[in-house]
Amino acid sequence: MTILDDLTVTHAAPDLRRAADELRRLKEEVSRGPDPEATRRQHAKNKLTAHERLELLFDPDTFTEIEPLRRHRAVGFGLEDRKPHGDGVVIGWGLVHGRTVFAYAHDFRVFAGALGEAHAAKVHKVMDLAEAAGAPLVSLNDGAGARIQEGVTALAGYGGIFRRNVAASGVIPQISVMLGPCAGGAAYSPALTDFVFMVRETAQMFITGPDVVQAVTGEKITHNGLGGADVHATASGVCHFAYDDEAECLEDVRFLLSLLPSNNREMPPPVPGDDSPDRRTDALADLVPADPGRSYDIRGVIEEIVDDGEYFEVHEGWARNVVCALVRLDGHPVGIVANQPASLAGVLDIHASEKAARFVSTCDAFNIPLVTLVDVPGFLPGVDQEHNGIIRHGAKLLYAYCNATVPRISLVLRKAYGGAYIVMDSRSIGADLSFAWPTNEIAVMGAEGAANVIFRREIAASDDPEALRAQRIQEYKSELMHPYYAAERGLVDDVIEPGETRRVLIRSLAMLRAKKAEVPARKHGNVPT
């Protein structure tokens, strides 16, 4: 029997001070959980309790919990004898870096965090409040899915969550933090949110668990092998960020929130810094080889350009041939999309197109300007790519850029060939400004391939094919691929020195900060799938 049960049978004259003391003890009891042994088991798994997690997420002493005394009203299968307060989820709001953020956290100690009717009603409540207040929503997931004892009522609770996820999409930032199991239909809510964080070893996401997989397909696999953090961070792309422990994970959730606006009607918050907007970036001339065939790591370029060399890479382990990162330039948050020559020579393929398209759409939804660093030899050729839909997947990135109304700047570092050049936010699809370094090569294809197509017969009939091929390649380069060809035709706004890159980008973004974009009246576009 809890303190609240004692209160219901007490007939003494009411005393406000005594009642307040009893209320305080009751809430402390609720926070501690139903059983000290359950807390011990949670800690033994290297997992924090719901309240401990919320303490790490929010600024000290700012979290306000609501509905801590909620209980389920289900009967049957022994539920009528187990009615713990909170019903397995903690909801409320607090401050993160001084700004309001809403959150809900599953309490695995209560029904293994499984969702029932009352549990779902609490989650619906906090989601509605977050959207009404125009503030981000963070979900701390550690639950066993639907509460089987409550049957279809629990499933309907998930439906209400999914509907609210979609209604809030692009309106407020939604962040899912996976700190334990998330199976079946429960996995779809994180998939509908903007960012997914996972902790290695303790967090898993899958639609059907290992036992079902083995029964149906005969495949044997562990929980982490099927749906662990590294699987989703490198293979499926479901997870944006993976961590070794909860504290580090929640600290980066706080950092991400500092880069995002509270809602789609606000601009992302600027932060004053000491890195001069006029700082030269002469080191870029040494970081990027002039030879378009040589590899380098684009992250070194990003570090040199952005404030204090700090960037927050999204989907670092998935589709490594493109880099997507949130950075600051002169204190203002900016999204960077960059081809990565150190992986697959920086080509665009199915996964890279999906990754970049999602990032572009997210930045556009939350008023984060986009800078695109272009060094792309084209789309990845191959039967698998074609049969698996590189056309429609590549169209996702094209659609995302064309649909984006935030300030957009592209910079061609070296090569930009074919359709991939157009897709990487070229002037022709709506980039506000386009710049290039003096070693850029913007063309339909590389000179070698172009010469082989245009002069194929002439080269084949020559007495010295190799000498003639080299001659024709050089002619094609000098005629159509010299660094100023695109600038002469207005396809880039200026050719700039590498050392001027940071200054030019910051001044251009400052000018574009007041950009107003008119969009056509429509219900919504039909995004390629």
Side-chain angles (χ1 to χ4, degrees):
M1 182 176 287
T2 67
I3 294 172
L4 188 58
D5 294 317
D6 288 335
L7 289 174
T8 61
V9 297
T10 298
H11 302 291
D15 179 278
L16 191 55
R17 290 184 182 276
R18 177 176 173 274
D21 289 340
E22 290 174 335
L23 174 63
R24 189 178 304 110
R25 290 197 300 273
L26 173 61
K27 289 191 173 181
E28 289 173 355
E29 178 185 288
V30 172
S31 178
R32 286 195 301 271
D35 178 10
E37 181 62 21
T39 301
R40 188 199 65 77
R41 290 194 298 268
Q42 184 81 347
H43 288 162
K45 297 174 183 176
N46 292 321
K47 294 164 64 176
L48 301 175
T49 66
H51 285 93
E52 289 169 341
R53 289 163 172 165
L54 291 166
E55 288 175 6
L56 289 176
L57 174 64
F58 289 107
D59 298 345
D61 301 319
T62 65
F63 179 66
T64 299
E65 184 177 355
I66 54 177
E67 296 198 10
L69 305 181
R70 187 77 177 252
R71 285 170 149 177
H72 74 76
R73 56 186 179 182
V75 296
F77 305 100
L79 285 178
E80 63 272 17
D81 300 322
R82 296 179 61 200
K83 293 190 174 184
H85 295 108
D87 204 51
V89 66
V90 180
I91 67 171
W93 74 90
L95 301 180
V96 176
H97 299 298
R99 295 191 299 150
T100 299
V101 173
F102 288 80
Y104 66 89
H106 297 145
D107 191 341
F108 196 82
R109 301 170 301 169
V110 179
F111 295 125
L115 180 139
E117 180 189 31
H119 180 126
K122 290 181 65 173
V123 175
H124 297 168
K125 170 74 172 180
V126 77
M127 295 179 80
D128 290 341
L129 282 173
E131 186 175 357
L137 175 70
V138 177
S139 63
L140 306 181
N141 297 270
D142 185 8
R147 195 174 300 168
I148 299 172
Q149 300 94 319
E150 294 195 30
V152 72
T153 306
L155 294 180
Y158 276 124
I161 292 174
F162 303 156
R163 177 167 58 84
R164 287 168 172 83
N165 283 139
V166 174
S169 181
V171 179
I172 57 172
Q174 299 179 83
I175 298 173
S176 297
V177 188
M178 316 311 296
L179 303 167
C182 185
Y188 282 114
S189 177
L192 290 169
T193 60
D194 301 304
F195 298 98
V196 176
F197 290 70
M198 292 187 75
V199 174
R200 294 183 178 92
E201 302 302 322
T202 58
Q204 301 92 30
M205 296 174 67
F206 37 69
I207 300 301
T208 53
D211 293 340
V212 176
V213 169
Q214 183 175 352
V216 174
T217 70
E219 299 170 288
K220 291 185 178 181
I221 193 166
T222 65
H223 285 78
N224 279 316
L226 181 62
D230 287 326
V231 168
H232 287 308
T234 61
S236 74
V238 171
C239 169
H240 298 78
F241 309 97
Y243 298 88
D244 291 327
D245 63 76
E246 294 189 12
E248 182 187 9
C249 175
L250 292 170
E251 183 58 36
D252 267 4
V253 173
R254 288 173 53 86
F255 181 65
L256 175 60
L257 286 166
S258 75
L259 293 164
L260 301 175
S262 292
N263 55 67
N264 65 340
R265 298 180 299 278
E266 297 182 4
M267 298 299 293
V271 173
D274 298 325
D275 198 345
S276 170
D278 292 321
R279 171 173 58 81
R280 287 189 61 82
T281 50
D282 293 308
L284 293 175
D286 299 318
L287 288 172
V288 179
D291 180 357
R294 286 183 58 195
S295 177
Y296 66 95
D297 192 336
I298 193 65
R299 290 173 295 187
V301 174
I302 295 172
E303 286 180 7
E304 180 65 18
I305 293 171
V306 304
D307 291 359
D308 304 310
E310 186 175 54
Y311 63 96
F312 194 44
E313 187 171 352
V314 179
H315 270 142
E316 179 182 357
W318 182 58
R320 292 175 178 267
N321 40 321
V322 69
V323 171
C324 299
L326 291 168
V327 306
R328 290 187 184 275
L329 283 169
D330 196 25
H332 293 269
V334 174
I336 287 186
V337 179
N339 304 112
Q340 173 57 294
S343 178
L344 294 176
V347 298
L348 289 176
D349 62 1
I350 288 173
H351 287 161
S353 298
E354 288 186 316
K355 170 180 170 177
R358 174 70 172 179
F359 182 76
V360 168
S361 294
T362 301
C363 289
D364 184 52
F366 296 114
N367 306 316
I368 300 173
L370 289 160
V371 171
T372 303
L373 305 179
V374 185
D375 191 348
V376 61
F379 281 95
L380 181 64
V383 174
D384 285 346
Q385 287 289 306
E386 296 293 349
H387 286 187
N388 286 303
I390 183 62
I391 294 173
R392 57 188 175 84
H393 290 290
K396 293 178 183 178
L397 180 54
L398 183 61
Y399 188 101
Y401 270 125
C402 291
N403 200 50
T405 60
V406 292
R408 292 157 49 191
I409 300 173
S410 66
L411 171 63
V412 179
L413 307 185
R414 293 194 309 183
K415 56 188 177 295
Y417 295 158
Y421 154 63
I422 299 297
V423 169
M424 290 295 292
D425 206 19
S426 62
R427 275 285 301 278
S428 59
I429 67 168
D432 296 296
L433 292 170
S434 180
F435 299 103
W437 284 356
T439 51
N440 79 84
E441 293 182 353
I442 302 175
V444 175
M445 63 175 65
E448 291 79 4
N452 287 337
V453 171
I454 298 171
F455 307 110
R456 177 174 56 85
R457 293 182 179 178
E458 183 183 354
I459 291 172
S462 172
D463 293 335
D464 189 349
E466 289 306 315
L468 183 59
R469 179 181 288 108
Q471 178 185 340
R472 295 296 187 237
I473 288 172
Q474 188 56 45
E475 289 176 1
Y476 187 85
K477 283 185 175 181
S478 61
E479 288 290 329
L480 297 177
M481 294 182 64
H482 64 79
Y484 306 106
Y485 183 87
E488 290 170 358
R489 285 152 182 81
L491 297 176
V492 298
D493 291 286
D494 197 9
V495 179
I496 65 172
E497 299 176 26
E500 295 179 338
T501 300
R502 173 177 165 84
R503 179 179 64 84
V504 168
L505 290 178
I506 286 175
R507 291 187 178 186
S508 300
L509 288 167
M511 178 274 293
L512 289 168
R513 206 159 289 137
K515 174 185 175 181
K516 303 293 182 184
E518 296 293 332
V519 295
R522 60 180 176 181
K523 188 174 182 180
H524 59 74
N526 194 9
V527 182
T529 58

